[in-house]
Amino acid sequence: MTNKHRTTFNICLVFCFILSMGAHFTGILWHEVIGAVAMTLSILHLYRNHAWYFASLRGHYSWRRWASTFTNALLLIDLAVLLGTSIPLSHYIFACLPLPFESSFQMRSFHSLAAYWLIALMGLHLGLHFESLKSTAFKYIGNTRCATLFGWTVAVLGIACWVDREMFNKLFLGYSFDSWDPSRPLIFLFASYLMIACGIAIVTHGIILFCKPKDSLCSKSSGF
């Protein structure tokens, strides 16, 4: 798979998860179809990067590698919870399965909570692998200053959308269900979650750049 194909694949994966955040507004059928496509792409993404799991058992662990490993582990757990709760909640794709348990309000709450955490963890994951995304942005935008300005604009919009969507309450205080003013275009809902994920990615990348000189200084001072 070429870099162009890999970038297209990852963009499709992100957009499928973003589109699946509007279950109450797009309808359950479309939510299940988009969610099934997103989960299939996730499994393909995990398979394509399966060598990472074996490589994670070897080599030295810096703080960035610890952060990446921890984020990937949380993403894997979150995807498992998302898939495990989606099957009994299904009204169409998995409705024919003879399941030994039924859906409940608590299961819907866990499903929603896992979806919100997926947005945050996806942003962290993108931020920890931001160099390739940044090079792609520079390639298409051309001007480095414009690309940097665009990046920080997205970060500010991400913070604003975080507040507007009450993400802290949804992630940590158990506020599981979403609401949206019908007078506002629905596309803004999906754009809000996209801005949140991108904003987290940019802020994460900024933290890495801030800590990078300290890491290099420490490595030089600790050398034999």
Side-chain angles (χ1 to χ4, degrees):
M1 183 180 289
T2 64
N3 289 334
K4 184 177 181 180
H5 291 158
R6 187 179 294 109
T7 301
T8 303
F9 179 91
N10 292 335
I11 289 174
C12 290
L13 176 58
V14 170
F15 270 93
C16 281
F17 276 124
I18 295 297
L19 290 175
S20 67
M21 296 299 293
H24 299 291
F25 314 103
T26 59
I28 299 299
L29 175 59
W30 278 110
H31 174 69
E32 290 192 22
V33 171
I34 296 170
V37 172
M39 198 59 64
T40 302
L41 293 177
S42 297
I43 293 172
L44 292 174
H45 180 76
L46 291 171
Y47 175 76
R48 187 167 56 84
N49 295 280
H50 69 277
W52 176 88
Y53 295 97
F54 298 99
S56 64
L57 302 175
R58 302 188 299 269
H60 170 71
Y61 265 76
S62 62
W63 73 268
R64 182 174 178 178
R65 191 178 182 191
W66 275 114
S68 180
T69 301
F70 186 64
T71 300
N72 289 341
L74 289 178
L75 260 175
L76 193 60
I77 294 171
D78 192 76
L79 285 171
V81 172
L82 203 60
L83 178 61
T85 54
S86 66
I87 294 175
L89 290 172
S90 174
H91 289 76
Y92 297 97
I93 296 178
F94 300 108
C96 60
L97 295 180
L99 299 175
F101 45 85
E102 296 182 359
S103 63
S104 63
F105 177 81
Q106 187 177 20
M107 189 169 293
R108 288 196 297 272
S109 298
F110 276 122
H111 186 75
S112 299
L113 181 63
Y116 296 131
W117 269 105
L118 181 68
I119 297 296
L121 292 171
M122 187 166 59
L124 283 173
H125 182 73
L126 291 172
L128 290 165
H129 301 82
F130 201 76
E131 292 298 332
S132 58
L133 298 176
K134 189 167 66 172
S135 62
T136 302
F138 286 165
K139 177 181 177 182
Y140 285 100
I141 297 177
N143 189 294
T144 303
R145 290 184 178 180
C146 290
T148 303
L149 179 61
F150 175 77
W152 285 111
T153 301
V154 171
V156 172
L157 287 174
I159 295 172
C161 292
W162 173 285
V163 175
D164 179 70
R165 294 287 84 217
E166 301 180 274
M167 287 298 289
F168 183 86
N169 293 340
K170 291 173 179 175
L171 295 178
F172 299 105
L173 301 181
Y175 183 78
S176 301
F177 297 104
D178 212 352
S179 61
W180 186 254
D181 185 352
S183 65
R184 302 166 68 183
L186 186 58
I187 192 172
F188 287 168
L189 172 70
F190 303 116
S192 295
Y193 287 115
L194 180 61
M195 288 298 103
I196 289 170
C198 292
I200 292 173
I202 292 170
V203 171
T204 301
H205 180 63
I207 293 173
I208 291 173
L209 291 180
F210 177 77
C211 297
K212 194 172 183 179
K214 296 182 179 180
D215 282 350
S216 62
L217 182 62
C218 291
S219 63
K220 288 180 181 178
S221 61
S222 61
F224 291 98

